[in-house]
Amino acid sequence: MSNVKRIIHKDPVDVLTAEWLALKHEEKMLQARRRQVEDELLMHTATVPEGTVHLNDRIKIQFKLMRKVDSDALDKIWDSLPDNIQDAFEWEAKPVLKELRKVDNDARLAGIVTENAGRPTFVEKGE
């Protein structure tokens, strides 16, 4: 019998997939624990509706209010609003991807819509 060990080559994609899944699981556990600690810290902190509270010299807590505008309702009264209220809003065109793909090659859109590659998202199957 030979003393030579058989070298088994593993598929690098399988090895990396297993590592990614393990790290993703660990990340979820760490995130859940971090949020528990944050909740516990909030029990010992003065809160404000919006703004920053300095907990100590190492942590600050930023409180935010999420705002959503009913664009249709605002649009209906826009012309009757004074300048100072109109100045409180910006209008932003957002692409409707399904429709944009249909007209993507239209010359009138040259230079209006730009594209940048985003970072790919990895998702564990079954989530």
Side-chain angles (χ1 to χ4, degrees):
M1 205 174 211
S2 171
N3 287 335
V4 177
K5 293 182 181 178
R6 183 174 177 207
I7 298 175
I8 300 174
H9 295 282
K10 294 185 178 181
D11 180 355
V13 171
D14 288 342
V15 172
L16 291 168
T17 296
E19 183 177 4
W20 184 87
L21 288 168
L23 290 168
K24 193 70 177 171
H25 177 72
E26 185 178 346
E27 178 183 29
K28 286 179 183 178
M29 291 175 29
L30 289 170
Q31 181 187 56
R33 179 60 187 138
R34 177 183 51 84
R35 288 182 176 166
Q36 286 175 344
V37 170
E38 289 171 353
D39 290 344
E40 290 178 35
L41 282 169
L42 286 172
M43 288 189 277
H44 302 283
T45 306
T47 62
V48 296
E50 188 171 37
T52 301
V53 172
H54 294 268
L55 187 60
N56 53 38
D57 62 344
R58 295 172 291 162
I59 298 175
K60 66 181 178 182
I61 305 169
Q62 296 175 325
F63 294 88
K64 300 174 186 172
L65 292 175
M66 306 305 287
R67 293 172 173 88
K68 184 177 179 182
V69 176
D70 182 340
S71 296
D72 293 333
L74 182 60
D75 189 41
K76 288 178 184 175
I77 65 166
W78 184 258
D79 291 332
S80 67
L81 296 175
D83 289 344
N84 65 327
I85 294 179
Q86 287 184 1
D87 290 345
F89 298 93
E90 290 181 350
W91 294 97
E92 179 180 329
K94 293 182 183 179
V96 178
L97 192 54
K98 178 182 174 185
E99 299 302 322
L100 183 62
R101 286 183 176 140
K102 294 176 186 176
V103 297
D104 205 19
N105 294 324
D106 192 305
R108 291 173 286 192
L109 297 178
I112 293 174
V113 178
T114 58
E115 296 177 339
N116 295 309
R119 179 169 171 77
T121 301
F122 292 76
V123 178
E124 182 177 354
K125 292 183 179 178
E127 284 189 347

